[in-house]
Amino acid sequence: MKRQIGIVTLLFLMGCAPEPTNEGTESPPAEEPTREETTTTQEPNTGEETELNVGDVTAIAENLEIPWSLARTSDGWLVSERGGIITVIDDSGRATQQEVTLNEDVFEIGEGGLLGIALSEDFESSGILYAYHTYGSSGRNIQNRVVELTWDGERFEETGVLLDQIPGARFHNGGRLLIDGAYLWVTTGDALVPELAQDESSLAGKILRIPLSGDGEPTDWIYSLGHRNPQGLSRIDDVLYASEHGASGHDEVNVIEEGNNYGWPLIEANEERDGLVTPWFEVGDTSWAPSGIATDAQYVYMATLRNERLVAIDRETKQVTTIVEGIGRIRDVWLDDDTLYFISNNTDGRGNPQSQDDKLYQVTIR
């Protein structure tokens, strides 16, 4: 008998919308800028020296297929791949694609598919993890759901549902997960309907804090609103950071506080309006397309897609230091002691795949 966490469904009047011809930060492949255009990004810089001592970049595993999210296990890694596979990587770098059995098939479209994963705190004994995925079809509403999976050593099987019917679309599905004790943080995109980000009855364009017990109603779990397409989450010293794609440049990193409204689509960049929060950091006119982030006492480490770099943003000065470049699009990053692990994302139709892409890499930073 499968364990069910209590299927929560919430009907929305506006689950998706016609797909636009210009999607700004994460646009169709034909509108992706060239490598030459991405290298012209203007990075904020205070001119202060960095304390980072960056080592050589080393590939750990190769031939990943559109990887999206990275999670550390006791003896290796789990990597979600957007087509609906989780690849298990051991410490020797051997990668094995494993089946994911779901009650709703993964719908890989645009930016949708199998996206964020997060391991339960007792994963090593329970095999439980959580996943965010898109489902539906082109002929019906596209939606997203957050499910519990159980790993038995051979496959991942759905054993519960935390949240269903999150509005989705070809683009702007959000999808980042972060475990925090008895809660799961979840980012959702605006599903191509910007006004949903301001609609307190919709889960689109929000950051959610879901109790793993399933207690409460979905709208009770809305922690912040006014988000366009947040794809990165990291928490340190009770400070929650989130990275977010802007409409045309002006990508953001925000410090997320309960009840705050981060402005989309009413304001962006450094515009101001009563009751709305301007970003802690924004990239300027040229898009970086930020995705996964990690933090320590001094830096926010951020993977970028269009900017094709892994960068460190000083938490005090906001000086930006480039850690890695030259390997193409970078989707997610994980910090373990003085080593950063990250995955490239060149096989999704928007990059220029190099030999044996995509890859899991590591780089020491101190």
Side-chain angles (χ1 to χ4, degrees):
M1 179 78 66
K2 292 183 180 179
R3 181 158 53 91
Q4 195 75 7
I5 299 179
I7 299 177
V8 184
T9 58
L10 185 64
L11 298 178
F12 298 95
L13 295 177
M14 303 177 69
C16 63
E19 296 163 9
T21 58
N22 186 340
E23 261 318 290
T25 309
E26 276 281 327
S27 54
E31 298 175 4
E32 192 74 354
T34 65
R35 287 179 180 271
E36 288 75 19
E37 289 172 328
T38 59
T39 59
T40 62
T41 300
Q42 296 180 352
E43 297 181 356
N45 195 324
T46 66
E48 298 179 16
E49 294 183 0
T50 177
E51 296 179 6
L52 295 172
N53 183 14
V54 179
D56 293 333
V57 175
T58 304
I60 299 174
E62 301 175 331
N63 298 311
L64 304 175
E65 298 179 12
I66 318 181
W68 209 92
S69 185
L70 183 61
R72 184 73 159 137
T73 67
S74 62
D75 58 358
W77 298 92
L78 301 183
V79 178
S80 67
E81 297 181 352
R82 220 175 59 199
I85 292 292
I86 294 178
T87 291
V88 179
I89 303 171
D90 64 24
D91 276 335
S92 71
R94 183 170 62 95
T96 306
Q97 289 188 320
Q98 299 290 357
E99 177 185 358
V100 181
T101 302
L102 295 160
N103 294 337
E104 295 280 356
D105 291 339
V106 169
F107 185 35
E108 183 186 2
I109 181 174
E111 294 167 6
L114 179 58
L115 304 178
I117 56 174
L119 308 188
S120 67
E121 294 185 344
D122 64 350
F123 172 77
E124 302 302 333
S125 59
S126 70
I128 291 174
L129 66 157
Y130 303 94
Y132 185 107
H133 79 90
T134 310
Y135 69 103
S137 68
S138 297
R140 58 179 257 215
N141 285 350
I142 300 171
Q143 299 180 91
N144 296 288
R145 60 205 293 261
V146 180
V147 298
E148 177 194 89
L149 303 177
T150 300
W151 166 242
D152 66 4
E154 296 182 356
R155 67 173 182 170
F156 298 89
E157 182 176 10
E158 180 180 322
T159 48
V161 181
L162 270 70
L163 184 59
D164 206 344
Q165 293 186 306
I166 301 168
R170 183 180 181 87
F171 303 102
H172 297 192
N173 292 289
R176 191 63 63 187
L177 304 183
L178 177 66
I179 283 284
D180 182 17
Y183 295 88
L184 180 69
W185 298 98
V186 179
T187 73
T188 70
D190 68 9
L192 300 182
V193 186
E195 55 267 30
L196 288 183
Q198 293 294 324
D199 184 348
E200 296 183 10
S201 69
S202 171
L203 299 184
K206 309 297 191 296
I207 292 178
L208 311 175
R209 186 172 182 255
I210 302 177
L212 296 179
S213 64
D215 293 341
E217 298 296 325
T219 51
D220 298 335
W221 305 336
I222 294 174
Y223 195 81
S224 64
L225 70 159
H227 300 286
R228 183 175 183 268
N229 191 23
Q231 289 190 356
L233 277 177
S234 185
R235 192 165 185 258
I236 184 169
D237 299 330
D238 294 326
V239 180
L240 180 68
Y241 291 92
S243 64
E244 181 167 342
H245 291 209
S248 181
H250 302 293
D251 307 315
E252 302 176 358
V253 178
N254 288 296
V255 173
I256 304 300
E257 296 182 356
E258 187 172 10
N260 277 0
N261 185 332
Y262 291 85
W264 175 254
L266 304 176
I267 63 170
E268 64 174 334
N270 291 320
E271 296 173 346
E272 295 183 355
R273 183 165 167 177
D274 287 346
L276 305 181
V277 180
T278 56
W280 173 80
F281 176 89
E282 70 104 359
V283 306
D285 293 338
T286 303
S287 173
W288 292 10
S291 194
I293 59 175
T295 50
D296 63 18
Q298 187 170 356
Y299 296 101
V300 175
Y301 303 95
M302 186 164 70
T304 70
L305 298 162
R306 283 196 172 177
N307 191 37
E308 297 191 349
R309 298 178 186 178
L310 177 62
V311 301
I313 306 169
D314 191 288
R315 293 176 61 193
E316 181 177 352
T317 68
K318 299 178 188 172
Q319 176 191 2
V320 176
T321 300
T322 296
I323 297 174
V324 174
E325 59 183 329
I327 66 166
R329 295 159 60 84
I330 302 177
R331 173 61 74 178
D332 198 14
V333 59
W334 186 283
L335 176 65
D336 191 353
D337 294 328
D338 291 336
T339 301
L340 289 171
Y341 299 86
F342 58 98
I343 46 177
S344 63
N345 191 210
N346 295 316
T347 57
D348 71 347
R350 296 173 180 177
N352 296 314
Q354 302 177 31
S355 176
Q356 297 179 303
D357 266 347
D358 277 308
K359 300 176 186 179
L360 167 63
Y361 295 91
Q362 69 177 34
V363 61
T364 58
I365 53 174
R366 291 185 180 89

